[in-house]
């Protein structure tokens, strides 16, 4: 039963926790070429602190936590930490978002964790374009990671692609990603490019969800559903009437889904944010490090009390997605 209910009556049952701000890719829409200035290791939440936090969240009725980053698999000990979490808080649904580059190595152990879902970010299956958008990423590594995970697990895999005009928005590119996802029994989802950072955001590359839906309809897809379940994101699903394959569209920018928002976020440094677009939040690291769980709970409630009704009108954060935990 959700115990975190904000002043607009929204039940907050889902928390995204960034375990690191570091990443081995430099995706053009997420980070500058030189990367961001990394936070020193002591300043990020320790695994012990994240375990404490998850305990408090569970007590408060949070049902699902998603670990993200930066790239969670670059942080030493991440998979061992997930095992400890599952043991200590078995009631929590656990999901991970990864760029897939290190997945092959960790696939068997991740598969044994019975994750609720594994989200893999993959914007294109063209080798050269992949290397371009990630600034040097190796597509084959990601594909072999997906294959390794699938060969060990039947868990839900979602393949998330940020659609960028004149880069990966052609019908051929979209079809290829959808076919690739189908061949791996994964759910493809297309995501709007978000204006989080003036340096890397260029409006002329934006493609709206409406536009994506139009393209899919022209390809024969029909409306399927606007929801995916209680804990999940603001996706609209379309379906291929011939194969039954579902394709998700996530309108993070153009549509108001704030009235259905069920989430909170925690940065790698332990700052809880009530909205992706909020500029600040509450510091949870301090009370977590001293083991003052009552204070952690109090601060979470302060953060919830400040949750805006909508992100519209908030001043856009100048931080990169990798620092907030996308
Ligand atoms: N490194 C992991 C990965 O790429 O999956 C997890 C962190 S990454 C910040 C999480 C998600 O944020 C990725 O799917 C990425 O495509 C998305 N993302 C980053 N910057 C974005 C932006 N400006 N607009 C839309 N999505 C963005
Ligand atoms: Fe790294 Fe993920 Fe950002 Fe790409 S989107 S730079 S993989 S954190």
């Amino acid at each position: 039963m959700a115990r975190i209910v904000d002043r607009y009556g929204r039940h907050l049952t889902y928390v995204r926790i960034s375990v690191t701000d570091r990443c081995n890719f430099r995706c053009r829409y997420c980070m500058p070429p030189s990367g961001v200035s990394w936070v020193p290791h002591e300043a990020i939440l320790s695994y012990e602190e994240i375990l404490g936090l998850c305990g408090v969240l569970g007590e408060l009725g949070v049902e699902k936590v998603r670990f993200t980053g930066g790239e969670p698999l670059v942080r030493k000990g991440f998979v061992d930490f997930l095992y400890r979490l599952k043991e200590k808080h078995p009631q929590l649904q656990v999901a991970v978002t990864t760029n897939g580059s290190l997945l092959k190595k960790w696939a068997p152990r991740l598969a044994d964790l019975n994750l609720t879902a594994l989200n893999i970010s993959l914007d294109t299956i063209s080798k050269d374009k992949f290397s371009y958008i990630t600034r040097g990423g190796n597509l084959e590594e990601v594909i072999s990671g997906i294959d390794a995970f699938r060969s060990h697990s039947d868990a839900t895999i979602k393949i998330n692609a940020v659609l960028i005009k004149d880069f990966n928005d052609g019908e051929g590119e979209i079809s290829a990603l959808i076919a690739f996802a189908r061949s791996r029994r994964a759910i493809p989802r297309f995501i709007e490019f978000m204006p989080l950072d003036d340096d890397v955001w260029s409006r002329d590359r934006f493609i709206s969800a409406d536009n994506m839906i139009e393209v899919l309809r022209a390809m024969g897809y029909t409306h399927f559903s606007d929801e995916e379940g209680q804990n999940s994101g603001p996706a609209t699903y379309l379906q291929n009437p011939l194969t039954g394959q579902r394709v998700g569209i996530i309108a993070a920018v153009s549509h108001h889904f704030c009235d259905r928002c069920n989430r909170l976020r925690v940065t790698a440094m332990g700052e809880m944010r009530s909205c992706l677009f909020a500029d600040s939040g509450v510091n949870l690291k301090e009370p977590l490090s001293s083991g003052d769980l009552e204070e952690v709970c109090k601060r979470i409630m302060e953060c919830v009390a400040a949750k805006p009704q909508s992100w519209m009108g908030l001043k856009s954060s100048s931080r990169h997605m990798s620092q907030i935990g996308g």
Side-chain angles (χ1 to χ4, degrees):
M1 183 65 183
R3 288 179 36 217
I4 315 186
V5 183
D6 74 2
R7 62 200 155 126
Y8 303 105
R10 292 171 297 194
H11 291 223
L12 308 181
T13 54
Y14 174 32
V15 179
R16 297 170 74 101
I17 301 175
S18 172
V19 295
T20 179
D21 61 336
R22 302 181 186 215
C23 188
N24 52 348
F25 284 179
R26 297 283 181 275
C27 299
R28 285 171 190 271
Y29 47 73
C30 181
M31 279 198 196
S34 53
V36 290
S37 47
W38 308 128
V39 172
H41 191 71
E42 324 75 73
I44 66 169
L45 287 181
S46 67
Y47 287 132
E48 213 50 52
E49 288 163 352
I50 301 176
L51 285 173
L53 170 62
C54 289
V56 175
L57 294 173
E59 291 282 310
L60 289 172
V62 167
E63 294 162 5
K64 176 173 164 182
V65 287
R66 170 176 298 283
F67 293 101
T68 177
E71 172 49 39
L73 288 169
V74 302
R75 180 160 173 191
K76 209 169 152 204
F78 175 63
V79 177
D80 287 338
F81 154 75
L82 291 179
Y83 273 85
R84 288 176 66 201
L85 176 74
K86 274 276 183 186
E87 200 181 296
K88 218 165 166 192
H89 305 297
Q91 82 288 3
L92 279 177
Q93 297 173 42
V94 178
V96 172
T97 298
T98 174
N99 65 25
S101 59
L102 303 173
L103 193 53
K104 187 172 179 187
K105 173 176 173 194
W106 296 108
R109 293 201 64 217
L110 275 174
D112 282 347
L113 274 164
N114 287 325
L115 295 175
T116 302
L118 183 68
N119 286 10
I120 297 158
S121 306
L122 179 61
D123 300 326
T124 171
I125 53 158
S126 146
K127 191 170 174 261
D128 292 343
K129 284 187 169 185
F130 184 80
S131 167
Y132 171 80
I133 194 78
T134 56
R135 294 200 183 92
N138 181 334
L139 177 67
E140 275 160 30
E141 280 172 7
V142 176
I143 293 181
S144 60
I146 296 172
D147 288 343
F149 183 77
R150 182 44 92 219
S151 72
H152 286 94
S153 169
D154 283 328
T156 301
I157 300 179
K158 291 177 189 161
I159 293 186
N160 291 333
V162 177
L163 267 200
I164 300 159
K165 196 171 195 150
D166 298 331
F167 175 70
N168 59 354
D169 63 326
E171 208 180 295
E173 277 271 343
I174 292 175
S175 301
L177 259 169
I178 294 175
F180 172 78
R182 182 169 159 77
S183 68
R184 269 67 180 182
R185 288 182 284 124
I187 303 172
R189 306 194 309 171
F190 295 101
I191 301 175
E192 281 179 347
F193 180 21
M194 283 188 261
L196 279 175
D197 179 339
D198 288 340
D199 296 341
V200 286
W201 162 245
S202 98
R203 265 164 206 285
D204 55 337
R205 295 296 193 103
F206 176 76
I207 301 175
S208 73
D210 285 348
N211 215 273
M212 297 178 198
I213 291 171
E214 223 173 87
V215 172
L216 285 172
R217 283 198 192 282
M219 288 162 72
Y221 284 74
T222 51
H223 186 258
F224 178 74
S225 145
D226 282 330
E227 277 180 10
E228 179 190 304
Q230 242 192 331
N231 285 325
S232 48
T236 293
Y237 279 87
L238 287 101
Q239 187 171 36
N240 181 323
L242 300 177
T243 63
Q245 187 184 10
R246 282 191 294 150
V247 177
I249 303 287
I250 302 187
V253 178
S254 66
H255 283 232
H256 241 299
F257 58 79
C258 299
D259 58 335
R260 285 189 276 142
C261 184
N262 63 352
R263 58 187 65 182
L264 292 165
R265 292 169 191 271
V266 181
T267 68
M269 288 169 78
E271 188 175 83
M272 180 173 260
R273 305 263 180 110
S274 59
C275 174
L276 177 60
F277 295 90
D279 254 346
S280 60
V282 296
N283 177 340
L284 298 182
K285 171 131 178 103
E286 197 184 77
L288 281 168
S289 66
S290 63
D292 186 351
L293 299 184
E294 233 171 78
E295 180 63 20
V296 173
C297 189
K298 192 172 142 230
R299 293 190 187 187
I300 291 174
M301 288 319 205
E302 269 168 34
C303 182
V304 170
K307 189 170 168 72
Q309 186 169 20
S310 156
W311 69 268
M312 308 265 176
L314 288 182
K315 194 175 154 287
S316 151
S317 168
S318 58
R319 295 175 80 191
H320 300 272
M321 192 77 138
S322 59
Q323 291 172 304
I324 308 163

